[in-house]
Structure formats: structure tokens, C-alpha cells
Amino acid sequence: IFGSCCSGKTSVAELLASQLGATVRHCGECVKEAAENTGCSPMALPISSHEQIDSQTRDLVSNSNDALVVEGTFLHLVLADYSDCTFVKLKCSDSEREKRLAERSTCESLLERDQADEQLGNELFADTNAASPSVEVDTTHRTSSETARCILEQLKLLSFRS
């Protein structure tokens, strides 16, 4: 699952993992934990730490025999070379994302966060061709449960087609 900040990735990934009996990995939580351990903010985490988290994510996906739900802002780039992954893109209006960000009581604005994410993505993945999503869901007017249900329905349709 990938998408911009506050599009619902973490909440939806938890629900999907629970419903599918899968293990879940939250790349953003890994970044927050690494930043806390380093004594800096997530936005100030060194590129090398991001690369290490991305490498660990690839290792997890490569070596797992169990069902996985992985979510992260750049997952379509981190796992771009993994053809056996199903990529789900979550979209959300900027106004709704602003509301969600404000609920987190963070000091940054949505514009600042999006600009920082864009800069980080460019630094980490300048030469990477992104994986295309198999499923896209707009979460603007959906709860996390509704979004998870919508994703599961679309995945069922995909499996019937293949």
C-alpha cells in the first residue's frame, strides 16, 4: 500500500492484515523509530537510514513465505522490481489530508510534509521506475474499514481476471 501522508495507509494496512491473517510492516513507523533512536526528527533522518529501512523491507518481502501487507509512502518505488507484489495506491483530497494531519497534532503543514516527501523521494529514487498500482482507492470520503473492504473487493476481481 502506498500513497501520500495522511491518505490512510497505516490504518488500512492494519485492517487488511487482520482480515487476511497477514503480517504487517509499517515503513513510516520504522522511520519514526529510527529517528527516535538517532535523536532526530523523521524529516531529519539521514538518507543512509532510509536506505537501510528500504533494504530491510525488501529482505522481508523476499524472504517471507507468509502473507504480508506492507505500507509506505514510497513503497511503489522501494519494491518496484518485485513483480509478484500487488500494489495498492491510496489517494485522498488535500483538504481531508490536512484535517487528518491536524488530528495528529503535528507542527508541520501538509505543504511542508509533501515538499519534504518529494525531496526525499527524489534523493532516494531518482532513477527508479515506479511500479504501477493494481488497485487505486480514494479514501477522502471512506472510513478505514470501508477502504479495506473496497480493496478486498477489487483484489477479488483481479484474481478472477487472472
Side-chain angles (χ1 to χ4, degrees), residues 11-24 67 69 144-153 155-156:
S11 302
V12 170
E14 279 295 328
L15 288 167
L16 284 174
S18 174
Q19 292 173 18
L20 297 170
T23 301
V24 66
V69 174
S144 296
S145 295
E146 291 168 338
T147 301
R149 199 167 29 255
C150 181
I151 291 168
L152 289 172
E153 289 169 3
L155 292 175
K156 284 178 189 173

Side-chain angles (χ1 to χ4, degrees), residues 4-11 32 97-108 113:
S4 300
C5 75
C6 300
S7 59
K9 298 180 302 292
T10 301
S11 302
K32 290 175 193 170
R97 290 174 56 228
E98 284 174 352
K99 287 180 200 172
R100 294 174 184 178
L101 187 63
E103 289 170 4
R104 294 181 183 178
S105 66
T106 179
C107 298
E108 63 195 355
R113 176 65 189 270

